[in-house]
């Protein structure tokens, strides 16, 4: 292939092109990561995007799809393997899988082992849920673990493997899993209508069956009151992951890794605050404004700022709790525990009291934000989109 020589090899440059094509917003935060970690995360993302494309493709019969999902991790070591029958929008990552798998094999073995292991576990989990619906809240956690918690665990292991972060970050799988679950549940909650229109159901039956006979009934105008109560219960469930998210973020030392991890999480809490008690979830799309998204991205550069942002949004939810809501007590309780963790308890807690190092990072982010802005039309969707769709 014709490739002008520069610091990036031909295959790697192609991989970054696919990254930018398949994820406008994730591409920016991945490319801001330091050193070799950037390449490892880029390849990890593309491998999971390829796996996801197989899972999503309704034209692949189950008897073909299930073995493919189970075996997918082994294709990483088959230089010729590709799949050319897909009709999905991101099919290019399957059609040119040999370029991705070659760059995978060029990574250090520590990175290869993490990516291959996560890919294996995720393929098995995806196959399990192809043939069943999400029933109990326990199964909801399990499904979200397979499609997003594992991503959080894999990324955390990559951070530690790169030695940019302490080994505890990669070893504490519970906290890493919570990072993924918070994003995934936010996604599933916000995408109720879109998923309904496409014939997909991710809300747990155990919860919605207390409010309606069929999940689709929640979209009917006459059911809007119970629909919103169901929505509020699921948002309350998702908020339980926030303390873990704050603990996880407080352990990070590397600025590029911190930004990478924190930005999707603050987008998620802003999205939940916009969805809480909001009938619009059942009528159309709930989006956070572009300006709000850019502000969040520029502010979320240190743990105190992130705590302040989380505090601000749970406060916003708290103010909206209807006294008649069946989950109101639970919602108040989980917000109390988040407040306790994010309360300005230290002298530098004020959101605008940055130390010089953070100020320079804020300036850097301001400069970068144009790069983000140009690709931000779907930022909220895709930041929160670690695993699904």
């Amino acid at each position: 292939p014709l490739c002008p020589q520069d610091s990036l090899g031909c295959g790697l440059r192609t991989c970054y092109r696919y990254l930018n094509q398949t994820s406008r917003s994730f591409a920016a935060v991945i490319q801001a990561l330091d050193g070799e970690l950037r390449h490892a995360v880029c390849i990890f993302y593309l491998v999971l995007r390829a796996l996801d494309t197989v899972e999503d493709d309704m034209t692949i019969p189950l008897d073909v799809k299930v073995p493919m999902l189970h075996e997918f991790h082994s294709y990483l070591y088959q230089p010729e393997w590709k799949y050319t029958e897909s009709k999905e929008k991101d099919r290019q990552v399957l059609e040119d899988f040999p370029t991705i798998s070659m760059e995978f094999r060029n990574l250090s073995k520590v990175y290869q082992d993490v990516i291959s292991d996560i890919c294996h576990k995720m393929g098995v989990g995806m196959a399990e849920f192809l043939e069943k619906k999400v029933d109990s809240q326990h199964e909801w956690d399990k499904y979200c673990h397979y499609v997003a918690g594992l991503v959080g665990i894999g990324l955390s292991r990559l951070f530690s493997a790169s030695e940019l972060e302490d080994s505890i970050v990669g070893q504490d799988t519970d906290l890493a899993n919570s990072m993924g679950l918070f994003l995934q549940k936010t996604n599933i909650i916000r995408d109720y209508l879109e998923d309904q229109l496409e014939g997909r159901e991710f809300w747990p039956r155990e919860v919605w069956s207390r409010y309606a006979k069929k999940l689709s009934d929640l979209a009917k105008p006459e059911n809007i009151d119970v629909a919103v109560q169901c929505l509020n219960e699921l948002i309350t469930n998702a908020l339980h992951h926030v303390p873990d998210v704050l603990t996880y973020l407080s352990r990070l030392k590397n600025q590029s890794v911190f930004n990478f991890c924190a930005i999707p999480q603050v987008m998620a809490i802003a999205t939940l605050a916009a969805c809480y008690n909001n009938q619009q979830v059942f009528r159309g799309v709930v989006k956070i404004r572009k300006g709000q998204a850019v502000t969040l991205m520029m502010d979320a550069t240190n743990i105190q700022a992130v705590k302040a942002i989380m505090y601000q949004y749970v406060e916003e939810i708290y103010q909206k709790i209807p006294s008649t809501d069946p989950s109101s007590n639970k919602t108040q309780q989980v917000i109390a525990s988040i407040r306790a963790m994010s309360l300005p308890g230290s002298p530098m807690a004020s959101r605008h009291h940055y130390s010089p190092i953070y100020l320079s990072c804020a300036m850097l982010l301001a400069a970068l934000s144009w790069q983000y802005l140009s690709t931000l039309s779907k930022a909220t969707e895709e930041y929160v989109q670690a695993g699904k769709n």
Side-chain angles (χ1 to χ4, degrees), residues 51 69-70 73 119-129 146:
L51 179 65
L69 292 172
H70 279 157
H73 66 108
C119 187
H120 186 193
K121 292 185 166 108
M122 192 179 285
V124 170
M126 284 174 164
E128 180 186 324
F129 275 92
Y146 285 140

Side-chain angles (χ1 to χ4, degrees), residues 219-374:
K220 296 179 176 168
E222 64 268 26
N223 294 330
I224 193 65
D225 293 341
V226 287
V228 167
Q229 291 177 351
C230 181
L231 167 72
N232 291 349
E233 182 174 341
L234 289 181
I235 289 175
T236 302
N237 172 303
L239 288 173
H240 282 90
H241 299 294
V242 172
D244 277 358
V245 167
L246 292 174
T247 305
Y248 180 98
L249 292 173
S250 69
R251 288 180 177 168
L252 300 178
K253 300 218 267 276
N254 177 276
Q255 186 69 51
S256 74
V257 171
F258 187 90
N259 296 349
F260 177 86
C261 295
I263 289 170
Q265 303 292 334
V266 296
M267 295 290 190
I269 191 76
T271 302
L272 286 183
C275 290
Y276 184 79
N277 210 46
N278 187 349
Q279 302 182 347
Q280 188 58 29
V281 172
F282 303 96
R283 296 174 178 160
V285 189
V286 175
K287 280 197 160 124
I288 62 176
R289 299 185 316 279
K290 272 190 193 179
Q292 189 183 1
V294 173
T295 306
L296 285 172
M297 287 170 24
M298 289 174 59
D299 282 354
T301 56
N302 66 81
I303 188 63
Q304 288 306 150
V306 169
K307 284 180 173 181
I309 292 168
M310 291 284 189
Y311 189 91
Q312 175 195 321
Y313 283 111
V314 296
E315 206 54 48
E316 192 178 300
I317 293 172
Y318 190 84
Q319 300 302 330
K320 290 196 282 193
I321 301 174
S323 54
T324 54
D325 191 273
S327 308
S328 62
N329 280 349
K330 275 188 179 170
T331 313
Q332 287 169 345
Q333 281 171 357
V334 69
I335 288 177
S337 66
I338 297 169
R339 275 187 182 144
M341 279 195 75
S342 58
L343 249 179
S346 74
M348 62 158 293
S350 138
R351 205 148 141 212
H352 301 290
H353 183 265
Y354 291 113
S355 60
I357 169 118
Y358 288 132
L359 261 177
S360 58
C361 291
M363 301 307 291
L364 175 67
L365 266 178
L368 268 175
S369 74
W370 293 107
Q371 177 193 0
Y372 286 113
L373 243 184
S374 61

Side-chain angles (χ1 to χ4, degrees), residues 80-261:
E80 307 300 313
W81 187 89
K82 58 175 180 287
Y83 185 77
T84 52
E85 314 289 301
S86 179
K87 305 284 182 284
E88 291 290 296
K89 65 171 175 11
D90 291 332
R91 60 182 177 271
Q92 193 162 23
V93 292
L94 289 170
E95 290 170 356
D96 190 21
F97 199 74
T99 299
I100 296 168
S101 70
M102 176 182 75
E103 290 305 328
F104 164 82
R105 293 187 301 277
N106 283 340
L107 294 171
S108 313
K109 187 171 185 303
V110 276
Y111 298 129
Q112 287 185 39
D113 291 347
V114 171
I115 295 171
S116 159
D117 179 49
I118 297 294
C119 187
H120 186 193
K121 292 185 166 108
M122 192 179 285
V124 170
M126 284 174 164
E128 180 186 324
F129 275 92
L130 278 182
E131 313 185 55
K132 65 175 187 188
K133 287 241 170 80
V134 180
D135 207 31
S136 62
Q137 295 188 60
H138 174 73
E139 290 212 317
W140 198 35
D141 281 4
K142 194 172 169 186
Y143 171 75
C144 291
H145 164 73
Y146 285 140
V147 298
L150 283 171
V151 181
I153 291 167
L155 285 168
S156 302
R157 287 169 58 190
L158 293 177
F159 299 155
S160 293
S162 73
E163 299 187 353
L164 292 176
E165 296 297 346
D166 290 342
S167 55
I168 183 69
V169 173
Q171 286 160 359
D172 195 333
T173 52
D174 285 346
L175 290 188
N177 189 56
S178 291
M179 294 283 285
L181 262 59
F182 186 57
L183 300 185
Q184 189 65 20
K185 287 179 177 182
T186 298
N187 243 23
I188 287 173
I189 289 166
R190 186 207 51 207
D191 290 340
Y192 167 83
L193 198 61
E194 184 191 316
D195 286 337
Q196 275 299 303
L197 298 173
E198 294 188 19
R200 291 191 301 244
E201 300 200 343
F202 297 107
W203 284 25
R205 173 189 300 271
E206 185 192 333
V207 175
W208 64 252
S209 63
R210 293 201 296 273
Y211 299 90
K213 286 207 168 61
K214 298 203 303 285
L215 182 55
S216 56
D217 289 345
L218 294 178
K220 296 179 176 168
E222 64 268 26
N223 294 330
I224 193 65
D225 293 341
V226 287
V228 167
Q229 291 177 351
C230 181
L231 167 72
N232 291 349
E233 182 174 341
L234 289 181
I235 289 175
T236 302
N237 172 303
L239 288 173
H240 282 90
H241 299 294
V242 172
D244 277 358
V245 167
L246 292 174
T247 305
Y248 180 98
L249 292 173
S250 69
R251 288 180 177 168
L252 300 178
K253 300 218 267 276
N254 177 276
Q255 186 69 51
S256 74
V257 171
F258 187 90
N259 296 349
F260 177 86
C261 295

